[in-house]
Amino acid sequence: MQFRSAIVLPVLAAASVSAEPISDSLSFSRLATLEHIGRIDVNPQTGEIAVGATGPGFGSAQHVRVVGTDGSVRTIGAAVPDPDSVIWDTGGLFAEPGSVLVGGVGGLFSVAPTGSTSLLFEAGLDFVNPEDMAFSTANELLIADYNVGRVQSLDTQGRFATVAVSASAVNQVAVSTKTGEILFGDQAGIASGADESGRLLSARPNSFITGLAFGDGSALWGDDAYGVDRTTGELLRFRGSGFEVIAQGLFAGFDPSDATRMPDAAIDFLPTGEMVVAVPTTDTIWTVVPPPASSALLALGGLTAMRRRR
């Protein structure tokens, strides 16, 4: 089985500032505005957000950025060729604890807390162009590789193994910390579960799901899968075979005639409970919370003014 997902293309021009997304049950606050947003990963200890970079040209050397909880932005380490994917190695599995692992066209790099940048694994047969990364529940690094069309696992002994194969370029991977379920998405718009669950996320025919993520396990977000429909700009919460639209207008301000951009998104969660949604199309990073009145309803597993579809 396979998944529909978004095509990730380099961002070549500055986007107009987006309007705030619309939701009857969630409140959006702009945390930061920055260009060429790639994948994101939240430090589960500090809440800092590592931000990869894509564009302005394929293979161009870019710095990884870190967005603080106050919205401040700083660059870390040396520039890395096409550093689309980032992930915090807080436990020191592959590098010094607190390092940011960076996937670029040259290989897998680490940026230490001191800013020192090192090449951990040079690109080769096992991986060429990491587009997204996640840790499995077995402490393996899962790499969605755009060029080889596979999700690869890398263990702490430096051994690679194939987790899933796709007929098209793979650009997303997400792992449930509760069940170990793995979801991945590819360029052809096909998405699937890479383990025995075989879950299929689909919003509607010919839609593309970007920003694949699992909830943080809290009463607020649960363990459901989340994503953004690239065709509509809707933020979705998946439950079983159905889904709920929990916000709209994530791509507001996007000019569909601009061939240099594709609607895209990345989702993660702060240790303080907020969802983080990065929208490269509009150069924005949002924090998302429910208004106080809806918190109890969310804890019960429902959101107001949603449409459930199957």
Side-chain angles (χ1 to χ4, degrees), residues 88-115:
W88 291 94
D89 190 359
T90 54
L93 294 173
F94 295 89
E96 182 181 343
S99 297
V100 177
L101 305 184
V102 183
V105 292
L108 180 65
F109 300 80
S110 68
V111 180
T114 60

PDB file of all heavy atoms in Angstrom, residues 88-115:
ATOM      1  N   TRP A  88      16.869  16.486  15.887  1.00  0.00           N
ATOM      2  CA  TRP A  88      17.674  16.626  17.100  1.00  0.00           C
ATOM      3  C   TRP A  88      18.101  15.244  17.593  1.00  0.00           C
ATOM      4  O   TRP A  88      17.275  14.345  17.731  1.00  0.00           O
ATOM      5  CB  TRP A  88      16.883  17.324  18.196  1.00  0.00           C
ATOM      6  CG  TRP A  88      16.603  18.773  17.948  1.00  0.00           C
ATOM      7  CD1 TRP A  88      15.473  19.295  17.374  1.00  0.00           C
ATOM      8  CD2 TRP A  88      17.440  19.885  18.285  1.00  0.00           C
ATOM      9  NE1 TRP A  88      15.562  20.668  17.322  1.00  0.00           N
ATOM     10  CE2 TRP A  88      16.757  21.056  17.877  1.00  0.00           C
ATOM     11  CE3 TRP A  88      18.693  19.994  18.884  1.00  0.00           C
ATOM     12  CZ2 TRP A  88      17.286  22.327  18.053  1.00  0.00           C
ATOM     13  CZ3 TRP A  88      19.221  21.261  19.066  1.00  0.00           C
ATOM     14  CH2 TRP A  88      18.531  22.411  18.654  1.00  0.00           C
ATOM     15  N   ASP A  89      19.367  15.095  17.888  1.00  0.00           N
ATOM     16  CA  ASP A  89      19.888  13.868  18.500  1.00  0.00           C
ATOM     17  C   ASP A  89      20.128  14.166  19.974  1.00  0.00           C
ATOM     18  O   ASP A  89      21.274  14.243  20.439  1.00  0.00           O
ATOM     19  CB  ASP A  89      21.180  13.432  17.799  1.00  0.00           C
ATOM     20  CG  ASP A  89      21.641  12.042  18.216  1.00  0.00           C
ATOM     21  OD1 ASP A  89      20.964  11.417  19.065  1.00  0.00           O
ATOM     22  OD2 ASP A  89      22.675  11.583  17.707  1.00  0.00           O
ATOM     23  N   THR A  90      19.050  14.320  20.730  1.00  0.00           N
ATOM     24  CA  THR A  90      19.176  14.723  22.128  1.00  0.00           C
ATOM     25  C   THR A  90      19.829  13.635  22.974  1.00  0.00           C
ATOM     26  O   THR A  90      20.475  13.933  23.979  1.00  0.00           O
ATOM     27  CB  THR A  90      17.792  15.057  22.717  1.00  0.00           C
ATOM     28  OG1 THR A  90      16.905  13.946  22.523  1.00  0.00           O
ATOM     29  CG2 THR A  90      17.206  16.296  22.037  1.00  0.00           C
ATOM     30  N   GLY A  91      19.660  12.366  22.580  1.00  0.00           N
ATOM     31  CA  GLY A  91      20.225  11.272  23.348  1.00  0.00           C
ATOM     32  C   GLY A  91      21.635  10.891  22.965  1.00  0.00           C
ATOM     33  O   GLY A  91      22.230  10.004  23.581  1.00  0.00           O
ATOM     34  N   GLY A  92      22.198  11.542  21.946  1.00  0.00           N
ATOM     35  CA  GLY A  92      23.550  11.229  21.536  1.00  0.00           C
ATOM     36  C   GLY A  92      23.700   9.869  20.887  1.00  0.00           C
ATOM     37  O   GLY A  92      24.723   9.197  21.061  1.00  0.00           O
ATOM     38  N   LEU A  93      22.721   9.452  20.106  1.00  0.00           N
ATOM     39  CA  LEU A  93      22.788   8.143  19.448  1.00  0.00           C
ATOM     40  C   LEU A  93      23.820   8.113  18.334  1.00  0.00           C
ATOM     41  O   LEU A  93      24.508   7.109  18.141  1.00  0.00           O
ATOM     42  CB  LEU A  93      21.407   7.777  18.890  1.00  0.00           C
ATOM     43  CG  LEU A  93      20.297   7.527  19.913  1.00  0.00           C
ATOM     44  CD1 LEU A  93      18.959   7.357  19.213  1.00  0.00           C
ATOM     45  CD2 LEU A  93      20.624   6.304  20.760  1.00  0.00           C
ATOM     46  N   PHE A  94      23.925   9.205  17.594  1.00  0.00           N
ATOM     47  CA  PHE A  94      24.830   9.236  16.438  1.00  0.00           C
ATOM     48  C   PHE A  94      25.883  10.336  16.539  1.00  0.00           C
ATOM     49  O   PHE A  94      26.836  10.352  15.761  1.00  0.00           O
ATOM     50  CB  PHE A  94      24.036   9.424  15.146  1.00  0.00           C
ATOM     51  CG  PHE A  94      23.127   8.275  14.824  1.00  0.00           C
ATOM     52  CD1 PHE A  94      21.823   8.236  15.297  1.00  0.00           C
ATOM     53  CD2 PHE A  94      23.583   7.207  14.058  1.00  0.00           C
ATOM     54  CE1 PHE A  94      20.987   7.172  15.011  1.00  0.00           C
ATOM     55  CE2 PHE A  94      22.755   6.129  13.770  1.00  0.00           C
ATOM     56  CZ  PHE A  94      21.460   6.110  14.251  1.00  0.00           C
ATOM     57  N   ALA A  95      25.707  11.247  17.462  1.00  0.00           N
ATOM     58  CA  ALA A  95      26.627  12.377  17.594  1.00  0.00           C
ATOM     59  C   ALA A  95      26.590  12.842  19.046  1.00  0.00           C
ATOM     60  O   ALA A  95      25.942  12.232  19.895  1.00  0.00           O
ATOM     61  CB  ALA A  95      26.238  13.503  16.631  1.00  0.00           C
ATOM     62  N   GLU A  96      27.257  13.939  19.320  1.00  0.00           N
ATOM     63  CA  GLU A  96      27.256  14.489  20.670  1.00  0.00           C
ATOM     64  C   GLU A  96      25.825  14.818  21.093  1.00  0.00           C
ATOM     65  O   GLU A  96      25.043  15.349  20.289  1.00  0.00           O
ATOM     66  CB  GLU A  96      28.111  15.757  20.698  1.00  0.00           C
ATOM     67  CG  GLU A  96      28.236  16.406  22.058  1.00  0.00           C
ATOM     68  CD  GLU A  96      29.083  17.667  22.022  1.00  0.00           C
ATOM     69  OE1 GLU A  96      29.821  17.860  21.038  1.00  0.00           O
ATOM     70  OE2 GLU A  96      28.995  18.453  22.984  1.00  0.00           O
ATOM     71  N   PRO A  97      25.433  14.484  22.334  1.00  0.00           N
ATOM     72  CA  PRO A  97      24.059  14.805  22.774  1.00  0.00           C
ATOM     73  C   PRO A  97      23.724  16.276  22.548  1.00  0.00           C
ATOM     74  O   PRO A  97      24.535  17.158  22.820  1.00  0.00           O
ATOM     75  CB  PRO A  97      24.092  14.462  24.272  1.00  0.00           C
ATOM     76  CG  PRO A  97      25.146  13.415  24.389  1.00  0.00           C
ATOM     77  CD  PRO A  97      26.207  13.792  23.385  1.00  0.00           C
ATOM     78  N   GLY A  98      22.528  16.506  22.026  1.00  0.00           N
ATOM     79  CA  GLY A  98      22.110  17.867  21.733  1.00  0.00           C
ATOM     80  C   GLY A  98      22.488  18.350  20.354  1.00  0.00           C
ATOM     81  O   GLY A  98      22.214  19.505  19.996  1.00  0.00           O
ATOM     82  N   SER A  99      23.103  17.479  19.549  1.00  0.00           N
ATOM     83  CA  SER A  99      23.464  17.839  18.178  1.00  0.00           C
ATOM     84  C   SER A  99      22.231  17.816  17.282  1.00  0.00           C
ATOM     85  O   SER A  99      21.218  17.178  17.603  1.00  0.00           O
ATOM     86  CB  SER A  99      24.507  16.874  17.610  1.00  0.00           C
ATOM     87  OG  SER A  99      25.719  16.932  18.331  1.00  0.00           O
ATOM     88  N   VAL A 100      22.327  18.491  16.154  1.00  0.00           N
ATOM     89  CA  VAL A 100      21.309  18.414  15.110  1.00  0.00           C
ATOM     90  C   VAL A 100      21.884  17.593  13.967  1.00  0.00           C
ATOM     91  O   VAL A 100      22.959  17.913  13.444  1.00  0.00           O
ATOM     92  CB  VAL A 100      20.905  19.816  14.602  1.00  0.00           C
ATOM     93  CG1 VAL A 100      19.905  19.703  13.459  1.00  0.00           C
ATOM     94  CG2 VAL A 100      20.326  20.652  15.730  1.00  0.00           C
ATOM     95  N   LEU A 101      21.197  16.510  13.603  1.00  0.00           N
ATOM     96  CA  LEU A 101      21.594  15.731  12.438  1.00  0.00           C
ATOM     97  C   LEU A 101      20.975  16.378  11.210  1.00  0.00           C
ATOM     98  O   LEU A 101      19.802  16.763  11.219  1.00  0.00           O
ATOM     99  CB  LEU A 101      21.121  14.283  12.568  1.00  0.00           C
ATOM    100  CG  LEU A 101      21.556  13.532  13.831  1.00  0.00           C
ATOM    101  CD1 LEU A 101      21.093  12.085  13.761  1.00  0.00           C
ATOM    102  CD2 LEU A 101      23.059  13.611  14.032  1.00  0.00           C
ATOM    103  N   VAL A 102      21.753  16.481  10.143  1.00  0.00           N
ATOM    104  CA  VAL A 102      21.325  17.189   8.940  1.00  0.00           C
ATOM    105  C   VAL A 102      21.511  16.282   7.731  1.00  0.00           C
ATOM    106  O   VAL A 102      22.602  15.758   7.500  1.00  0.00           O
ATOM    107  CB  VAL A 102      22.141  18.487   8.740  1.00  0.00           C
ATOM    108  CG1 VAL A 102      21.621  19.255   7.526  1.00  0.00           C
ATOM    109  CG2 VAL A 102      22.099  19.355   9.994  1.00  0.00           C
ATOM    110  N   GLY A 103      20.453  16.096   6.964  1.00  0.00           N
ATOM    111  CA  GLY A 103      20.529  15.322   5.729  1.00  0.00           C
ATOM    112  C   GLY A 103      20.666  16.240   4.536  1.00  0.00           C
ATOM    113  O   GLY A 103      19.804  17.097   4.308  1.00  0.00           O
ATOM    114  N   GLY A 104      21.760  16.094   3.783  1.00  0.00           N
ATOM    115  CA  GLY A 104      21.984  16.900   2.595  1.00  0.00           C
ATOM    116  C   GLY A 104      22.440  16.026   1.451  1.00  0.00           C
ATOM    117  O   GLY A 104      22.675  14.827   1.612  1.00  0.00           O
ATOM    118  N   VAL A 105      22.593  16.622   0.269  1.00  0.00           N
ATOM    119  CA  VAL A 105      22.982  15.821  -0.895  1.00  0.00           C
ATOM    120  C   VAL A 105      24.396  15.259  -0.760  1.00  0.00           C
ATOM    121  O   VAL A 105      24.759  14.314  -1.460  1.00  0.00           O
ATOM    122  CB  VAL A 105      22.864  16.643  -2.198  1.00  0.00           C
ATOM    123  CG1 VAL A 105      21.419  16.950  -2.513  1.00  0.00           C
ATOM    124  CG2 VAL A 105      23.690  17.918  -2.121  1.00  0.00           C
ATOM    125  N   GLY A 106      25.191  15.805   0.165  1.00  0.00           N
ATOM    126  CA  GLY A 106      26.536  15.285   0.367  1.00  0.00           C
ATOM    127  C   GLY A 106      26.615  14.167   1.376  1.00  0.00           C
ATOM    128  O   GLY A 106      27.655  13.515   1.510  1.00  0.00           O
ATOM    129  N   GLY A 107      25.534  13.931   2.127  1.00  0.00           N
ATOM    130  CA  GLY A 107      25.545  12.885   3.123  1.00  0.00           C
ATOM    131  C   GLY A 107      24.784  13.281   4.369  1.00  0.00           C
ATOM    132  O   GLY A 107      23.935  14.174   4.349  1.00  0.00           O
ATOM    133  N   LEU A 108      25.111  12.606   5.475  1.00  0.00           N
ATOM    134  CA  LEU A 108      24.497  12.884   6.764  1.00  0.00           C
ATOM    135  C   LEU A 108      25.517  13.605   7.632  1.00  0.00           C
ATOM    136  O   LEU A 108      26.616  13.084   7.884  1.00  0.00           O
ATOM    137  CB  LEU A 108      24.056  11.580   7.432  1.00  0.00           C
ATOM    138  CG  LEU A 108      23.390  11.708   8.803  1.00  0.00           C
ATOM    139  CD1 LEU A 108      22.066  12.457   8.692  1.00  0.00           C
ATOM    140  CD2 LEU A 108      23.177  10.335   9.439  1.00  0.00           C
ATOM    141  N   PHE A 109      25.166  14.799   8.096  1.00  0.00           N
ATOM    142  CA  PHE A 109      26.059  15.644   8.877  1.00  0.00           C
ATOM    143  C   PHE A 109      25.526  15.780  10.304  1.00  0.00           C
ATOM    144  O   PHE A 109      24.349  15.510  10.582  1.00  0.00           O
ATOM    145  CB  PHE A 109      26.166  17.041   8.258  1.00  0.00           C
ATOM    146  CG  PHE A 109      26.684  17.068   6.850  1.00  0.00           C
ATOM    147  CD1 PHE A 109      25.852  16.785   5.767  1.00  0.00           C
ATOM    148  CD2 PHE A 109      28.002  17.381   6.595  1.00  0.00           C
ATOM    149  CE1 PHE A 109      26.324  16.813   4.470  1.00  0.00           C
ATOM    150  CE2 PHE A 109      28.494  17.415   5.293  1.00  0.00           C
ATOM    151  CZ  PHE A 109      27.654  17.129   4.231  1.00  0.00           C
ATOM    152  N   SER A 110      26.388  16.224  11.193  1.00  0.00           N
ATOM    153  CA  SER A 110      25.950  16.585  12.542  1.00  0.00           C
ATOM    154  C   SER A 110      26.473  17.980  12.861  1.00  0.00           C
ATOM    155  O   SER A 110      27.600  18.337  12.489  1.00  0.00           O
ATOM    156  CB  SER A 110      26.466  15.588  13.580  1.00  0.00           C
ATOM    157  OG  SER A 110      27.871  15.666  13.724  1.00  0.00           O
ATOM    158  N   VAL A 111      25.628  18.755  13.538  1.00  0.00           N
ATOM    159  CA  VAL A 111      26.041  20.060  14.044  1.00  0.00           C
ATOM    160  C   VAL A 111      25.993  19.973  15.561  1.00  0.00           C
ATOM    161  O   VAL A 111      24.921  19.823  16.161  1.00  0.00           O
ATOM    162  CB  VAL A 111      25.123  21.188  13.543  1.00  0.00           C
ATOM    163  CG1 VAL A 111      25.587  22.529  14.098  1.00  0.00           C
ATOM    164  CG2 VAL A 111      25.088  21.227  12.019  1.00  0.00           C
ATOM    165  N   ALA A 112      27.162  20.026  16.197  1.00  0.00           N
ATOM    166  CA  ALA A 112      27.268  19.902  17.647  1.00  0.00           C
ATOM    167  C   ALA A 112      26.746  21.163  18.331  1.00  0.00           C
ATOM    168  O   ALA A 112      26.623  22.223  17.694  1.00  0.00           O
ATOM    169  CB  ALA A 112      28.720  19.644  18.039  1.00  0.00           C
ATOM    170  N   PRO A 113      26.444  21.082  19.629  1.00  0.00           N
ATOM    171  CA  PRO A 113      25.996  22.290  20.354  1.00  0.00           C
ATOM    172  C   PRO A 113      26.989  23.435  20.262  1.00  0.00           C
ATOM    173  O   PRO A 113      26.604  24.602  20.357  1.00  0.00           O
ATOM    174  CB  PRO A 113      25.853  21.775  21.796  1.00  0.00           C
ATOM    175  CG  PRO A 113      25.553  20.318  21.654  1.00  0.00           C
ATOM    176  CD  PRO A 113      26.354  19.873  20.465  1.00  0.00           C
ATOM    177  N   THR A 114      28.269  23.133  20.060  1.00  0.00           N
ATOM    178  CA  THR A 114      29.278  24.178  19.910  1.00  0.00           C
ATOM    179  C   THR A 114      29.258  24.818  18.526  1.00  0.00           C
ATOM    180  O   THR A 114      29.923  25.828  18.295  1.00  0.00           O
ATOM    181  CB  THR A 114      30.685  23.597  20.148  1.00  0.00           C
ATOM    182  OG1 THR A 114      30.925  22.550  19.192  1.00  0.00           O
ATOM    183  CG2 THR A 114      30.800  23.028  21.550  1.00  0.00           C
ATOM    184  N   GLY A 115      28.528  24.212  17.581  1.00  0.00           N
ATOM    185  CA  GLY A 115      28.486  24.707  16.212  1.00  0.00           C
ATOM    186  C   GLY A 115      29.396  23.957  15.275  1.00  0.00           C
ATOM    187  O   GLY A 115      29.364  24.184  14.061  1.00  0.00           O
TER     188      GLY A 115
END
